[in-house]
């Protein structure tokens, strides 16, 4: 008999070494997340996947599953606060979905839809962020970066490079590029790198591809992110 | 420059874990970390330039831009403000001819704020090229400005300018007398390591940094790990505004602190240890190095300590300005030469700490107490204090009282007793445990110091009736904005949202729903943040809102909705562009 945890009362098996989110995903239970991606080293920074484990709040993407855990996931309180955390990400950067090339394919937007976010709730920061369009095939719009660290990890773990890093402190955090000039064109990034494809928002974009799929026919235009996530991310069997 | 960096690189044994130390040297020599320096260093250490940039940008005292031959930082703690810091800062800026936060045009001097420098009993304080200055006054500022204008090297300035007092006002078990060198170690070896750990367990000693984890248990967990390469780390990064006791302990009782670390090492089986010293205490560095050398000479450190077959040595690593590095896993990251971002847990440092090896991290005062316990036994320590909080606590008392300084009390002492001793009158309230702690009002002075009531790392700031609570709440909230590492969303964004919302209310733009909105952000930051910094960042607001709701209410406008900005003022650029100044070009904030 394998060991189990319960999530919202449902019994779920787990294997030794699995995190809560891994066990949940394998069992078809969606826990909202942005900085987590299966197959990548857990990061635990966005805090969307916060669940309640035996009365204590933990990040499901970093906390190991263990026997006896009674986990709360889809409660009103957690969903309300996840929505507020998502709203924090929206006001921190400059996210204008209607004019963004990534609209419909953006996970930040997908999570916002899922959590029924209707407005930004908090005052906007109107951060002064830059655009790096120096690369012939790629573009970075820092306005849309949510510091999920996925491109940093993708470049290191998957591409065997080290193109990105998160620098700065506090609200002045910024994504930096590993090149003498600090510009993307002088780095060794390539279009097909995982670091390009992994961006959950429209911060890293491939040029001349923005509208190849019409708006209205894109991923989250037609499906909820929980369904997309569970079909794409169930890779643990 | 290349030669200088090469030299530092060799001095630091070619290790990338020494990145922070090397960067500190470069900053001290050139007053910034240039692009060229980054390239040279990246090549030498074989690390990415991005790693270096992210470290430089993380720490307050490292800079990518030139900061001038004289880098001046003024401590921005509330205690400095209570001693008239703002007007002295303005005077300083005027005399130097530079704006706060800027480098002077000729590149000679820069003036900026920094978080509490740990001199709250002798402020207003600051740092000049890393060295502490205290008791700033107009004559002192005149003297400093004149030395700078004549470009006298800081090494040649009068020692008087850098004088730091200890101000020990009340002693008890630990401070009355330092143990004689080596006596605790001798006793440890005489009675046995297991027996000494049992004594520490009997003493009930809990971590003095504030969290209060059982010390014996921590040491035992670490000693039971399979991995045998283990480390002892002394956390001397006391950054909590209002605390300065570790500075005094390291100035007067360093032998005993190092002795505590050494006996910990013997018990857990560690060969190497670190004293992580906050950058603000640079003035203690050479003195502490000399004490370590002396201990090596006396066979109290190094190979085969006291001929008992124990090898252990201690290295001092300086921080570079980051409150978050007082958090133990962030401190470990910093020791490894990285930005101080708290790690995910589990694993805990006792399992995977420095270089992912089992590591005990304890506060300066904890090691001091452990050495005493090894000498006098656990029971003698446990006889003091209360059942849940045994022994004594060393407090750093500042603010509105006659005698600011260091006080040692058995746990369980009432606030009233403490206030009487330090000569505090007409008290409004006290910030206990610093911004991350609790504000108590003058209705609560029968409460006691202890983990079961008022837990504290030692900060004790007294406010009298003339003080405005909202001034301190604002100062503390700004502090957390500056010190958030930015790793997790709730703290990175939430601390700034707290500031915006608090400023809105205090500046008189708040209306009916705004206090509820403030509380909502507080709960989010408190409950969802990654580490203790975020989890306590809302405490200044929450603890005062609970006690003085009327103070906040009074700031609100008596209308149901008040915009967060000044509509009419926002139209000024439009009026200028349109070249209009007629009545129609002005709008009322709220329609009648």
């Amino acid at each position: 008999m394998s060991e189990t945890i319960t999530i919202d009362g449902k019994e779920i098996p787990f294997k030794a070494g699995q995190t809560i989110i891994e066990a949940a995903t394998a069992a078809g239970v969606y826990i909202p997340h942005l900085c987590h991606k299966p197959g990548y080293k857990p990061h635990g920074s966005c805090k969307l996947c916060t669940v309640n484990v035996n009365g204590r709040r933990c990040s499901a993407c970093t906390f190991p599953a263990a026997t006896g855990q009674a986990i709360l996931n889809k409660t009103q309180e957690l969903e309300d606060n996840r929505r507020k955390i998502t709203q924090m990400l929206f006001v921190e950067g400059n996210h204008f979905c209607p004019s963004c090339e990534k609209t419909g394919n953006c996970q930040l937007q997908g999570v916002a839809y899922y959590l029924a976010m209707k407005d930004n709730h908090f005052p906007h920061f109107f951060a002064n962020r830059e655009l790096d369009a120096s690369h012939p095939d790629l573009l970075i719009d820092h306005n849309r970066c949510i510091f999920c660290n996925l491109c940093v990890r993708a470049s290191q773990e998957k591409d065997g490079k080290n193109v990105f890093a998160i620098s700065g402190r506090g609200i002045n955090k910024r994504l930096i590029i590993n090149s003498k000039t600090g510009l993307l064109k002088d780095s060794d990034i390539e279009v097909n790198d995982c670091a390009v494809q992994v961006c959950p928002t429209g911060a890293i974009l491939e040029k001349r591809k923005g509208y190849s799929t019409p708006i209205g026919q894109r991923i989250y235009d037609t499906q909820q992110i929980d369904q997309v996530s569970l079909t794409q991310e169930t890779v643990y069997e | 420059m290349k030669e200088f960096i090469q030299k530092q690189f060799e001095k630091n044994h070619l290790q990338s874990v020494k990145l922070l130390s090397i960067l500190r040297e470069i900053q001290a020599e050139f007053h910034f970390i240039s692009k060229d320096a980054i390239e040279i260093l990246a090549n030498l250490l074989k690390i990415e330039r991005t790693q270096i940039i992210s470290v430089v940008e993380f720490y307050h005292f490292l800079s990518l831009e030139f900061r001038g031959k004289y880098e001046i930082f003024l401590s921005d703690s509330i205690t400095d403000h209570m001693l008239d810091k703002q007007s002295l800062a303005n005077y300083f800026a005027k005399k130097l001819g530079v704006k706060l936060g800027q480098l002077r045009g000729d590149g000679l001097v820069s003036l900026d704020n920094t978080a509490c420098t740990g001199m709250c009993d002798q402020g207003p304080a600051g740092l000049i090229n890393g060295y502490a200055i205290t008791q700033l006054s107009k004559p002192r500022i005149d003297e400093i400005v004149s030395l700078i204008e004549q470009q006298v090297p800081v090494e040649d300035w009068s020692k008087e300018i850098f004088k730091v007092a200890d101000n020990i006002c009340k002693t008890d078990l630990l401070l009355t007398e330092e143990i004689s060198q080596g006596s605790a170690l001798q006793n440890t070896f005489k009675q046995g390591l297991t027996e000494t750990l049992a004594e520490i367990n009997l003493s009930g000693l809990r971590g003095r940094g504030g969290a209060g984890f059982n010390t014996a248990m921590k040491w035992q967990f670490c000693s039971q790990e399979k991995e045998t390469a283990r480390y002892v780390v002394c956390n001397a990064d006391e950054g909590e505004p209002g605390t300065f006791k570790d500075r005094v302990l390291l100035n007067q009782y360093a032998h005993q602190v190092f002795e505590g670390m050494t006996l910990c090492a013997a018990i857990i089986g560690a060969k190497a240890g670190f004293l992580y010293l906050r950058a603000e205490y640079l003035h203690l560095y050479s003195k502490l190095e000399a004490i370590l050398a002396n201990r090596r000479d006396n066979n109290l450190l190094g190979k085969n300590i006291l001929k008992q077959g124990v090898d252990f040595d201690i290295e001092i690593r300086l921080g570079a300005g980051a409150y978050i590095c007082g958090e133990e896993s962030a401190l470990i990251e910093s020791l490894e030469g990285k930005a101080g971002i708290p790690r995910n847990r589990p694993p805990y440092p006792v399992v995977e700490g420095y270089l992912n090896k089992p590591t005990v991290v304890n506060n300066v005062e904890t090691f001091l107490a452990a050495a005493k316990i090894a000498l006098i036994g656990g029971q003698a320590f446990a006889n003091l204090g209360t059942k849940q909080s045994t022994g004594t606590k060393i407090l750093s008392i500042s603010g509105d009282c006659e005698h600011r300084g260091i006080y040692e009390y058995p746990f369980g002492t009432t606030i009233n007793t403490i206030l009487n001793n330090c000569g505090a009158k007409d008290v409004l309230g006290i910030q206990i445990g610093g911004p991350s702690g609790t504000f108590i009002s003058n209705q609560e002075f029968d409460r006691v110091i202890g983990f079961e009531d008022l837990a504290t790392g030692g900060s004790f700031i007294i406010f009298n009736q003339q003080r405005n609570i909202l001034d301190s709440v604002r100062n503390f909230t700004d502090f957390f904005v500056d010190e958030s590492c930015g790793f997790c969303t709730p703290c990175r964004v939430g601390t700034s949202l707290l500031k915006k919302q608090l400023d809105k209310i205090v500046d008189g733009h708040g209306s009916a729903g705004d206090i509820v909105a403030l509380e909502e952000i507080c709960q989010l930051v408190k409950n969802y943040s990654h580490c203790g910094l975020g989890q306590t960042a809302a405490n200044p607001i929450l603890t005062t809102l609970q006690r003085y709701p009327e103070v906040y209410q009074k700031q609100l406008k008596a209308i149901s909705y008040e915009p967060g900005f000044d509509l009419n003022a926002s139209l000024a650029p439009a009026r200028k562009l349109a070249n209009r100044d007629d009545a129609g070009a002005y709008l009322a904030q709220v329609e009648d």
Side-chain angles (χ1 to χ4, degrees):
Chain A
M1 206 184 86
S2 71
E3 296 186 285
T4 60
I5 53 177
T6 66
I7 299 184
D8 296 330
K10 182 182 165 189
E11 202 161 328
I12 283 168
F14 72 91
K15 293 176 191 150
Q18 268 186 332
T19 58
I20 291 172
I21 209 169
E22 285 170 344
T25 310
V29 173
Y30 173 70
I31 302 175
H33 57 270
L34 282 168
C35 73
H36 161 79
K37 191 174 173 68
Y40 286 72
K41 203 175 151 208
H43 197 239
S45 67
C46 77
K47 298 297 171 198
L48 270 180
C49 73
T50 304
V51 288
N52 190 310
V53 182
N54 299 336
R56 196 180 135 202
R57 287 182 197 83
C58 299
S59 299
C61 72
T62 58
F63 207 77
T67 306
Q69 285 173 343
I71 297 162
L72 299 176
N73 171 40
K74 215 175 167 177
T75 66
Q76 190 65 48
E77 186 200 331
L78 284 166
E79 295 278 276
D80 282 350
N81 289 324
R82 285 168 182 162
R83 187 184 319 111
K84 287 177 196 166
I85 292 170
T86 310
Q87 287 164 326
M88 283 182 167
L89 289 170
F90 267 90
V91 299
E92 178 191 21
N94 298 304
H95 301 276
F96 303 110
C97 301
S99 66
C100 177
E101 300 90 323
K102 196 71 176 273
T103 186
N105 288 332
C106 169
Q107 288 174 38
L108 178 64
Q109 195 184 28
V111 163
Y113 286 150
Y114 176 81
L115 295 168
M117 182 181 129
K118 301 273 185 350
D119 62 9
N120 285 328
H121 186 62
F122 299 117
H124 275 273
F125 284 44
F126 299 117
N128 194 2
R129 305 239 191 111
E130 295 192 343
L131 199 85
D132 179 350
S134 64
H135 194 282
D137 303 316
L138 297 170
L139 175 117
I140 294 194
D141 188 342
H142 290 282
N143 289 293
R144 301 166 184 165
C145 179
I146 56 169
F147 313 110
C148 68
N149 196 263
L150 276 168
C151 61
V152 178
R153 284 175 278 164
S155 189
Q156 287 169 355
E157 296 170 24
K158 311 289 173 189
D159 303 331
K161 302 177 184 177
N162 233 313
V163 176
F164 298 106
I166 305 280
S167 190
R169 176 159 112 184
I171 199 66
N172 299 315
K173 273 245 169 314
R174 62 188 192 111
L175 182 68
I176 57 170
I177 291 147
N178 191 3
S179 70
K180 258 189 168 165
T181 56
L183 292 172
L184 201 56
K185 73 176 168 70
D186 299 314
S187 74
D188 52 0
I189 198 164
E190 289 160 289
V191 176
N192 293 323
D193 283 356
C194 288
V196 175
Q197 308 304 326
V198 80
C199 182
T201 72
I204 305 177
L205 291 170
E206 214 175 308
K207 284 183 178 173
R208 298 174 294 277
K209 291 280 170 67
Y211 295 96
S212 50
T213 307
I215 292 171
Q217 296 170 25
R218 297 179 176 190
I219 304 169
Y220 308 114
D221 293 339
T222 53
Q223 290 177 82
Q224 280 279 16
I225 196 167
D226 55 339
Q227 293 312 312
V228 178
S229 174
L230 290 171
T231 43
Q232 287 179 357
E233 296 182 354
T234 312
V235 292
Y236 300 104
E237 291 310 308
Chain B
M1 180 172 65
K2 198 164 179 178
E3 270 170 38
F4 179 85
I5 295 175
Q6 178 76 35
K7 218 170 81 193
Q8 292 309 322
F9 172 61
E10 283 160 12
K11 197 172 118 189
N12 285 288
H13 314 100
L14 329 161
Q15 291 173 315
S16 64
V17 288
K18 295 286 202 73
L19 177 61
L20 198 55
S21 312
I22 300 171
L23 289 171
R24 285 186 49 93
E25 302 279 2
I26 298 174
Q27 178 79 34
E29 179 76 12
F30 302 102
H31 304 288
F32 78 128
I33 316 290
S34 66
K35 274 192 173 164
D36 290 343
I38 291 168
E39 294 299 324
I40 295 167
L41 206 48
N43 279 325
L44 285 173
L45 294 173
K46 296 185 179 60
I47 56 175
E48 303 296 334
R49 59 170 77 76
T50 41
Q51 189 187 330
I52 302 175
I53 297 170
S54 65
V55 169
V56 175
E57 288 197 338
F58 191 83
Y59 294 95
H60 202 68
F61 301 128
L62 301 175
S63 167
L64 294 174
E65 272 118 43
F66 185 59
R67 276 201 179 139
K69 230 172 120 181
Y70 297 91
E71 301 179 47
I72 307 177
F73 288 98
L74 298 175
S75 179
D76 201 36
S77 171
I78 188 70
T79 55
D80 296 291
H81 283 276
M82 290 159 79
L83 295 165
D84 204 22
K85 182 238 159 169
Q86 200 52 53
S87 77
L88 287 169
N90 295 339
Y91 182 77
F92 214 153
K94 203 178 138 206
K95 279 271 163 182
L96 283 170
V98 63
K99 280 196 181 128
L100 197 66
Q102 285 184 2
L103 169 69
R104 199 165 81 176
D106 62 358
L108 185 66
V109 55
S110 65
L111 185 67
D112 206 346
N113 275 331
T114 190
C116 178
T117 59
M119 300 287 168
C120 315
D121 54 338
Q122 46 201 305
L127 299 165
I128 292 188
N129 287 357
Y131 289 94
I133 43 171
T134 61
Q135 291 186 308
L136 277 172
S137 60
K138 283 186 178 174
R140 178 54 53 84
I141 288 170
D142 291 341
E143 188 187 355
I144 291 170
V145 171
S146 142
L147 287 163
I148 289 173
E149 298 300 356
Q150 294 168 53
Q151 303 202 28
V152 179
V154 169
E155 304 85 77
D156 301 337
W157 291 16
S158 140
K159 291 227 166 23
E160 190 60 30
I161 296 177
F162 301 103
K163 215 172 111 183
V164 177
D166 281 347
N167 298 333
I168 298 177
C169 300
K170 191 187 168 302
T171 65
D172 205 302
L173 180 72
L174 298 176
L175 297 182
T176 301
E177 203 184 347
E178 191 179 13
I179 63 165
S180 69
Q181 274 182 50
S183 59
L185 273 175
Q186 271 155 3
N187 211 35
T188 298
F189 290 127
K190 201 174 90 193
Q191 67 186 358
L193 298 175
T194 320
E195 289 72 13
T196 305
L197 183 60
E199 287 298 324
I200 292 170
N201 189 38
L202 178 67
S203 77
L205 177 64
R206 296 169 67 172
R208 282 348 191 200
F213 193 82
N214 182 290
T215 304
M217 206 185 278
K218 190 185 262 189
W219 294 11
Q220 181 149 18
F221 285 156
C222 189
S223 69
Q224 286 167 345
E225 280 302 306
K226 274 199 199 109
E227 172 63 57
T228 53
R230 299 169 190 151
Y231 295 94
V232 177
V233 176
C234 177
N235 183 347
D237 193 49
E238 65 170 348
E240 190 70 45
T243 166
F244 45 88
K245 52 144 185 113
D246 292 344
R247 159 172 59 77
V248 177
L249 296 182
L250 290 171
N251 194 41
Q252 280 201 37
Y253 304 82
H255 263 294
Q256 189 172 331
V257 174
F258 290 141
E259 189 128 342
M261 289 177 72
T262 311
L263 68 91
C264 171
I267 288 169
I268 69 162
K271 301 261 178 297
F274 299 97
L275 174 76
Y276 186 87
L277 184 66
R278 74 184 301 222
E280 291 81 351
Y281 295 167
L282 175 65
H283 68 283
L284 292 172
Y285 183 80
S286 350
K287 183 173 178 176
L288 291 169
E289 280 290 8
I291 292 173
L292 287 177
N294 177 268
R295 290 183 72 81
R296 283 181 203 111
D297 291 344
N298 294 335
N299 195 218
L300 297 172
L301 269 184
K303 295 266 179 232
N304 198 11
I305 293 171
L306 293 175
K307 302 198 173 55
Q308 297 290 324
V310 171
D311 299 342
F312 177 68
D313 213 326
I314 298 170
E315 181 187 334
I316 304 171
R317 294 259 179 97
L318 278 155
Y323 167 72
I324 188 63
C325 290
E327 196 279 344
E328 60 177 357
S329 67
L331 186 153
I332 289 168
E333 288 283 299
S334 184
L335 274 179
E336 293 181 1
K338 302 180 210 158
I341 293 169
R343 294 177 177 176
N344 284 303
R345 283 178 247 213
Y348 291 87
V350 285
V351 180
E352 285 182 34
Y354 182 64
L355 304 178
N356 296 327
K357 308 291 185 200
T359 304
V360 161
V361 183
N362 274 134
N363 182 265
V364 173
E365 189 183 340
T366 312
F367 284 121
L368 181 90
K372 186 80 179 185
I373 293 162
L375 187 66
I376 64 165
Q379 193 56 50
F381 187 85
N383 288 343
L384 289 167
T386 68
K387 206 173 165 200
Q388 284 160 282
S389 316
T390 54
T392 61
K393 183 74 195 87
I394 301 170
L395 300 177
S396 313
I397 298 186
S398 64
D400 296 316
C401 65
E402 273 174 49
H403 312 288
R404 301 183 197 103
I406 302 297
Y407 292 73
E408 183 184 11
Y409 286 103
F411 274 116
T413 303
T414 65
I415 301 299
N416 262 324
T417 309
I418 298 169
L419 291 175
N420 282 335
N421 289 169
C422 68
K425 289 184 195 83
D426 199 20
V427 180
L428 172 73
I430 307 162
Q431 188 73 34
I432 292 182
S436 72
T438 311
F439 189 91
I440 61 162
S441 79
N442 51 19
Q443 303 303 303
E444 304 169 68
F445 292 168
D446 49 356
R447 294 181 67 181
V448 300
I449 296 290
F451 295 105
E452 63 273 34
D453 189 2
L454 293 167
T456 172
S459 175
F460 194 100
I461 308 173
I462 303 164
F463 297 88
N464 69 20
Q465 300 281 0
Q466 276 70 57
R467 306 290 177 185
N468 180 350
I469 292 166
L470 294 174
D471 288 342
S472 67
V473 175
R474 249 185 170 180
N475 177 274
F476 294 154
T477 303
D478 289 353
F479 166 78
F480 286 116
V481 173
D482 291 340
E483 297 300 330
S484 167
C485 82
F487 172 76
C488 73
T489 316
C491 178
R492 182 182 68 242
V493 186
T495 49
S496 286
L497 286 174
L498 280 178
K499 177 182 163 59
K500 280 172 194 273
Q501 186 67 14
L502 180 67
D503 285 351
K504 181 182 177 186
I505 294 169
V506 178
D507 290 339
H509 295 293
S511 60
D514 275 314
I515 290 178
V516 177
L518 181 68
E519 273 188 300
E520 174 199 316
I521 306 167
C522 285
Q523 293 303 335
L524 208 55
V525 176
K526 183 185 163 100
N527 294 325
Y528 287 80
S529 289
H530 178 65
C531 77
L533 188 153
Q535 288 157 13
T536 57
N539 283 0
I541 299 173
L542 285 170
T543 58
T544 52
L545 199 51
Q546 191 192 355
R547 288 167 175 83
Y548 308 95
E550 70 288 352
V551 172
Y552 286 83
Q553 292 290 345
K554 249 189 353 215
Q555 299 295 121
L556 300 181
K557 288 205 168 176
I559 49 169
S560 61
Y561 173 76
E562 169 70 20
F565 65 99
D566 186 336
L567 184 60
N568 193 43
S570 308
L571 283 173
R575 279 192 291 270
K576 199 176 166 198
L577 284 170
N579 201 19
R580 274 182 61 177
D581 200 32
D582 56 293
Y586 291 86
L587 285 176
Q589 185 80 346
V590 184
E591 281 191 34
D592 296 324

